[in-house]
Amino acid sequence: MKPLNLNRMIAGMAVVLTGGIGLFTLLSWTLDRWELVSLGDNYIPMAPITALLFVLLAAALAIRLWLADRQPLRLATCAGVLVATLVAVSELVRWTWPIDLPWDLWGFGVETGFGVMRIGQMAPLTAVVFMLTILAFAGTAPAVHRWVRYLANL
């Protein structure tokens, strides 16, 4: 097996796993069973916006892996990555200036939390990890500036 095929196989497994976790989490929140996505009684569950970004970035990677030759899908990938970037930046801004974002709790009605974290909100560390993921995703794009590739390789 060629290394390129092994890399594509590993990336494909990551797409399926990440997208599956995101879809399971969204389904759990939709069914008002958010306790299913926490790892125990004392753990905060994955926020719905985090799950949506999991699905969005998994779809973008799937398109990049298997359907990269189709121009409309490449544009959809760019749009998805742009949306993920805007959400991650908005979440980071929230922790600097306390603001309510449109997707906060999305009507799921959970008002409890742990410390300063409300259940259903993305943690700032998660937003940072999404920004690093987006940067790595952008660094693999066919036509990007050299400095983006350099930052993505860090």
Side-chain angles (χ1 to χ4, degrees):
M1 183 177 282
K2 295 180 183 177
L4 179 62
N5 291 338
L6 179 62
N7 290 342
R8 288 176 67 86
M9 187 175 67
I10 291 171
M13 289 188 306
V15 164
V16 171
L17 183 66
T18 304
I21 290 171
L23 287 174
F24 175 74
T25 301
L26 286 173
L27 181 66
S28 297
W29 278 97
T30 303
L31 296 175
D32 200 23
R33 298 294 308 242
W34 56 268
E35 303 89 8
L36 294 175
V37 292
S38 63
L39 299 175
D41 292 338
N42 295 325
Y43 293 96
I44 299 174
M46 182 189 296
I49 191 66
T50 303
L52 183 65
L53 291 186
F54 266 45
V55 172
L56 189 64
L57 291 176
L61 183 56
I63 291 170
R64 171 88 44 94
L65 282 173
W66 297 304
L67 303 169
D69 57 338
R70 299 193 175 128
Q71 180 66 22
L73 291 178
R74 281 196 308 232
L75 293 175
T77 298
C78 291
V81 171
L82 178 64
V83 167
T85 304
L86 293 174
V87 168
V89 167
S90 299
E91 288 290 341
L92 288 173
V93 167
R94 168 212 308 271
W95 292 100
T96 306
W97 298 288
I99 58 172
D100 288 329
L101 296 172
W103 51 81
D104 282 347
L105 300 179
W106 271 346
F108 292 110
V110 179
E111 295 295 329
T112 60
F114 294 99
V116 296
M117 285 291 306
R118 280 193 332 205
I119 292 178
Q121 287 184 344
M122 184 185 294
L125 181 59
T126 305
V128 169
V129 171
F130 272 120
M131 290 302 298
L132 293 173
T133 303
I134 291 162
L135 184 61
F137 197 90
T140 62
V144 295
H145 295 288
R146 247 181 292 143
W147 62 271
V148 174
R149 286 187 196 267
Y150 174 74
L151 287 174
N153 287 324
L154 290 179

